[in-house]
Amino acid sequence: SVVHVVRDGIAVARSIAQFGVTAWYGARGEWKWVKLKQLAASLRVSDELMLLADSAGPTQMFARGLVEWGVSIALCREDQASLGMTTLEVNYSSLCGEGLEEVLASIEARCGL
């Protein structure tokens, strides 16, 4: 069994938005962003979001962060399914607040602890 802890996409995008384009996506022609765009196209990410991510405006890095989070989660789920993995997906926020005992109990049960 695999426990996959997933952070909220908005929180991820906000963190990424704090970086400059070259600091996060690479100084060599934004190599990382180019690869993410290719993956996003194959996953049919909305045109509107991709336009924001390619704009030079203040929302560019936030939109890129959303794209990166979405692509990462989608590919992770695809890989888990193709490998026949049994996965328990846990929201990170559920580990930081009320209901922690229930979440930990579900993790223990899934892992046979």
Side-chain angles (χ1 to χ4, degrees), residues 91-111:
N91 291 322
Y92 175 79
S93 61
S94 69
L95 298 172
C96 302
E98 292 183 30
L100 176 61
E101 289 180 16
E102 292 174 23
V103 174
L104 292 177
S106 68
I107 293 170
E108 288 173 350
R110 177 61 71 94
C111 296

Side-chain angles (χ1 to χ4, degrees), residues 46-112:
S46 79
D47 292 338
E48 293 85 2
L49 182 56
M50 294 309 295
L51 283 172
L52 284 172
D54 278 333
S55 71
T59 59
Q60 178 191 43
M61 289 298 290
F62 181 78
R64 286 185 177 193
L66 287 175
V67 170
E68 182 170 349
W69 179 85
V71 166
S72 298
I73 295 298
L75 292 176
C76 184
R77 289 175 179 162
E78 280 182 14
D79 288 346
Q80 290 166 349
S82 70
L83 295 171
M85 298 171 83
T86 56
T87 304
L88 174 63
E89 198 169 273
V90 176
N91 291 322
Y92 175 79
S93 61
S94 69
L95 298 172
C96 302
E98 292 183 30
L100 176 61
E101 289 180 16
E102 292 174 23
V103 174
L104 292 177
S106 68
I107 293 170
E108 288 173 350
R110 177 61 71 94
C111 296

Side-chain angles (χ1 to χ4, degrees), residues 2-74:
V2 173
V3 177
H4 181 199
V5 179
V6 178
R7 193 168 167 221
D8 175 68
I10 300 295
V12 170
R14 284 182 180 144
S15 293
I16 290 173
Q18 295 177 15
F19 290 88
V21 172
T22 54
W24 191 258
Y25 291 104
R28 291 190 206 162
E30 298 183 357
W31 182 87
K32 182 179 178 183
W33 178 242
V34 170
K35 296 300 178 191
L36 283 166
K37 280 176 61 172
Q38 292 168 352
L39 292 167
S42 70
L43 294 169
R44 294 178 277 160
V45 173
S46 79
D47 292 338
E48 293 85 2
L49 182 56
M50 294 309 295
L51 283 172
L52 284 172
D54 278 333
S55 71
T59 59
Q60 178 191 43
M61 289 298 290
F62 181 78
R64 286 185 177 193
L66 287 175
V67 170
E68 182 170 349
W69 179 85
V71 166
S72 298
I73 295 298

